[in-house]
Amino acid sequence: MAAVIETHRLSKAFGSLEAVRGLDLAVRPGEIYGLLGPNGSGKTTLMRLLVGLAKPDGGEAWVLGRRVPDRRLFAEVGYMTQAEALYPDLTAGENIAFFGALNGVSSRQRVEEVLQLVELTERAADLVGTLSGGLRRRVSLACALVHRPRLLILDEPTVGIDPQLRVAFWAHFRRLAQEGVTILVSSHVMDEAERCDRLGFMREGRLLAEGTTEELKRQAGATDLEQAFLRFAEGSDAA
Amino acid sequence: MQPERVLILARRIVQQIRRDHRSVGLIFFVPMLVMGLLGFILRIQASPIEVGVVIEDEGVRLPPNLHLSAAEELVKTLRENDRLRVRSIEREEAESELRDGSLEVVLIFPAELTRGLLQGSGAQIQILLEGSNPGQSGAILATLSATLSQRLASIAPSPGGPSIFLLTGVSFLRERAQGTMERLLATPISRAEIVLGYMLGFGVFALLQSAVILLFTIFVLRIHYVGNLALVFLLEAILTVGAVNLGIFLSTYARTELQVVQFIPLVIVPQALLSGILLPVKDLPGFLQAIAYLMPLTYANRAMTGVMIKSFGLGQVAPDLAILLAFAVGALLLSATTLRREIV
Ligand SMILES: Nc1ncnc2c1ncn2[C@@H]1O[C@H](COP(=O)(O)OP(=O)(O)OP(=O)(O)O)[C@@H](O)[C@H]1O
Ligand SMILES: [Mg+2]
């Protein structure tokens, strides 16, 4: 299968609330695919389905050629959750080493490497509970990167990250994509979205529109991405 | 199943607890405090030791009209001690009364006692203890006080359980509330490995805790025991498996750490009261006995008493161990189903 992520009519409901509805998505190898959409539109739920943390109610999804959920995928996927999900009573280095080790990477050197990448080398020995919000986000990202996954699923990775580091993060994402890593990333920041190869716009669990920045702008008849976002989001009232 | 991942998780738990001074205190010092207090209370408690005396001493007839019996003099002294309840019995009854627990000590005053004493030939009082081999000793009171303290010895493993249960419950709850459970489940670690990792991580502390409590009981409370330590630790290991899994299971029904603590009165206190630590189970009214036999600590306590006081071997405590193992496996299954529900 050519696509790294492929879903057919994927659905997930929580009680009567349909968080993902019959969603078809295809993400190509080495692509940075951005998920946009208002709060509650189903981005996180879609990611959890793809990682295998939630069971679909309908439809199916393949990730790296395997039908999810599949245990063997975990070590090949790096998932950065929307919430921090770290142990506050362990140091930054210990958190990264722990998740790395569980994913089969226990080299001290690799931990140093990702610490450097997120510019945390000096704070490596600090307890995560004592770090600032943005610094914790960096640790969280490092935990998703440490085992060199072939697919990165990043849920709003740059929330709370200062602009300087955000630029560095995106440069790194691009570098990884060039090395063949596929990245699915959600974001509410438009200038970030513009750095993606393709974007998907979600609303009420559906993939409403898909394409490059230019294509989405054209489709919405908007002059910039923010305007396009608002048009798509407002469409829900009209529809 | 990969043992390596189990070790990685266990090491993380050890790392976290070691760093948390309050938890270390809860694990190591609270049980000592509880033991110390219990020891104090047991030493002054009203419930006397049941002593049977077999008086075969013929005494010595001294002219003109005096009958001297060392046995009778000694028994009179014993009767004055309100920590002892002294009762005369026949030699034949001694064995069975000791076995069913209605007597804790039997003192046999042999026929030649008084004469022997007078002649300086070193006649001896024979002492039979509950379940143990008949032995001889000149130091009656030492033995009696040993009996008291042996009751304490049987309690030794108990104060540890609640802290392990509490810590597991809270760590697991945190794991879920922090979102790290989600992240953990997104790594190759399996549910079985998570449960094993938790058991191993907390097992390390549980066994260290038992060692500390035992040392404290033996050297600080100066309690004499006859138990097989390997069996004590085996028992402790099984209890830990139960406590850890109960913690995992019940943490599902708690949303805050306070709610985990709220399980203590429900789960721990009835066991502490009814399992035979404070009062023999057979002295409880019928319906409370029935409840007592539904609780693992009852069997743990019975087995521990057997090991520590009667120097029971593996064979003799095997039934209790089997029941405890069944409880542990039950808790394991409950915690496993809990984890399975983690993915929705
Ligand atoms: N475990 C759950 N139980 C019940 N409802 C849930 C659960 N997870 C998500 N939902 C609901 O599903 C819908 C989609 O949620 P989701 O988290 O996927 O949105 P999102 O697009 O990631 O939003 P945001 O931009 O705020 O992160 C929401 O209405 C949410 O309340
Ligand atoms: Mg979300």
Side-chain angles (χ1 to χ4, degrees), chain A residues 12 14 48 51-55 71 74-75 79-81 84-91 94 98-99 101-103 127 140 143-144, chain B residues 4-6 8-9 11-12 15-17 19 174-175 178-191 193 340 342-344:
Chain A
K12 175 70 185 176
F14 299 105
R48 294 184 68 240
V51 173
L53 289 172
K55 282 198 211 87
R71 304 203 57 74
F74 290 134
Y79 175 43
M80 177 176 172
T81 50
E84 261 125 43
L86 298 167
Y87 300 99
D89 46 357
L90 294 184
T91 67
E94 285 165 350
F98 174 67
F99 287 110
L102 282 182
N103 280 304
L127 293 181
S140 183
C143 290
Chain B
E4 206 191 330
R5 287 197 287 261
V6 175
I8 292 166
L9 179 54
R11 201 180 54 209
R12 190 208 85 204
Q15 228 168 16
Q16 286 175 305
I17 295 186
R19 206 165 272 163
R174 280 190 192 153
E175 195 99 67
Q178 278 163 189
T180 46
M181 178 54 74
E182 172 117 336
R183 192 158 223 167
L184 211 51
L185 290 173
T187 75
I189 197 167
S190 69
R191 284 164 188 67
E193 286 162 355
R340 194 163 321 125
E342 211 70 46
I343 284 192
V344 287

Side-chain angles (χ1 to χ4, degrees), chain A residues 154-235:
Chain A
L154 309 173
D155 203 349
E156 302 188 27
T158 56
V159 172
I161 300 278
D162 61 62
Q164 200 184 342
L165 192 68
R166 188 183 311 194
V167 170
F169 272 17
W170 275 90
H172 184 67
F173 294 160
R174 182 50 69 192
R175 208 158 47 238
L176 286 173
Q178 276 157 3
E179 290 165 14
V181 176
T182 310
I183 302 176
L184 178 69
V185 54
S186 70
S187 176
H188 290 295
V189 184
M190 291 307 137
D191 74 74
E192 253 178 42
E194 286 178 11
R195 296 171 197 262
C196 296
D197 297 317
R198 278 197 306 150
L199 295 168
F201 190 90
M202 282 186 77
R203 201 185 68 205
E204 292 168 0
R206 293 200 180 86
L207 195 60
L208 212 67
E210 192 183 48
T212 61
T213 310
E214 290 309 315
E215 285 166 353
L216 283 185
K217 281 197 281 198
R218 208 174 316 126
Q219 222 175 312
T223 51
D224 62 23
L225 198 57
E226 180 137 8
Q227 200 180 15
F229 181 101
L230 292 173
R231 294 233 168 119
F232 283 126
E234 279 159 9

Side-chain angles (χ1 to χ4, degrees), chain B residues 258-330:
Chain B
L258 176 62
Q259 288 178 349
V260 177
V261 178
Q262 285 167 349
F263 278 117
I264 296 265
L266 193 68
V267 178
I268 305 293
V269 173
Q271 301 210 51
L273 293 178
L274 299 180
S275 66
I277 292 174
L278 294 180
L279 208 67
V281 177
K282 65 176 170 50
D283 291 353
L284 296 172
F287 75 104
L288 283 183
Q289 275 192 38
I291 296 176
Y293 284 114
L294 292 176
M295 303 186 307
L297 211 54
T298 305
Y299 302 93
N301 187 53
R302 193 164 74 185
M304 196 59 72
T305 312
V307 172
M308 294 291 273
I309 297 182
K310 306 176 188 174
S311 65
F312 275 4
L314 182 59
Q316 285 147 299
V317 291
D320 285 334
L321 281 186
I323 293 171
L324 283 174
L325 212 54
F327 272 112
V329 170

Side-chain angles (χ1 to χ4, degrees), chain B residues 8-205:
Chain B
I8 292 166
L9 179 54
R11 201 180 54 209
R12 190 208 85 204
I13 288 167
V14 171
Q15 228 168 16
Q16 286 175 305
I17 295 186
R18 223 183 35 194
R19 206 165 272 163
D20 179 3
H21 301 299
R22 280 167 194 252
S23 294
V24 171
L26 182 68
I27 293 177
F28 295 113
F29 296 105
V30 170
M32 284 197 240
L33 183 71
V34 172
M35 282 303 290
L37 289 175
L38 270 175
F40 188 66
I41 291 165
L42 277 184
R43 277 177 214 278
I44 59 168
Q45 77 167 357
S47 158
I49 300 170
E50 301 287 342
V51 183
V53 290
V54 179
I55 303 177
E56 295 173 349
D57 187 13
E58 290 161 355
V60 177
R61 196 163 295 280
L62 294 177
N65 209 359
L66 193 63
H67 182 250
L68 184 65
S69 162
E72 271 161 26
E73 294 304 315
L74 284 168
V75 169
K76 206 185 294 166
T77 317
L78 289 178
R79 283 190 204 279
E80 280 163 12
N81 187 334
D82 55 11
R83 274 165 50 188
L84 310 175
R85 190 181 296 148
V86 181
R87 181 151 60 83
S88 276
I89 54 162
E90 297 301 317
R91 193 188 264 268
E92 297 76 48
E93 298 162 6
E95 191 87 353
S96 68
E97 294 221 28
L98 279 173
R99 204 172 322 111
D100 71 18
S102 48
L103 285 179
E104 289 171 80
V105 190
V106 171
L107 304 176
I108 299 176
F109 300 89
E112 299 298 305
L113 181 69
T114 310
R115 202 168 304 137
L117 283 173
L118 287 176
Q119 290 166 359
S121 65
Q124 290 207 318
I125 299 167
Q126 202 184 348
I127 298 173
L128 301 180
L129 284 179
E130 200 184 344
S132 64
N133 298 323
Q136 292 211 322
S137 161
I140 307 174
L141 278 177
T143 314
L144 290 178
S145 80
T147 310
L148 230 191
S149 55
Q150 278 166 357
R151 283 197 195 160
L152 202 55
S154 71
I155 301 170
S158 306
S163 52
I164 297 296
F165 160 78
L166 194 65
L167 285 176
T168 316
V170 169
S171 326
F172 227 77
L173 183 89
R174 280 190 192 153
E175 195 99 67
R176 230 181 266 117
Q178 278 163 189
T180 46
M181 178 54 74
E182 172 117 336
R183 192 158 223 167
L184 211 51
L185 290 173
T187 75
I189 197 167
S190 69
R191 284 164 188 67
E193 286 162 355
I194 293 178
V195 174
L196 281 175
Y198 260 81
M199 290 195 307
L200 190 64
F202 282 105
V204 169
F205 287 99

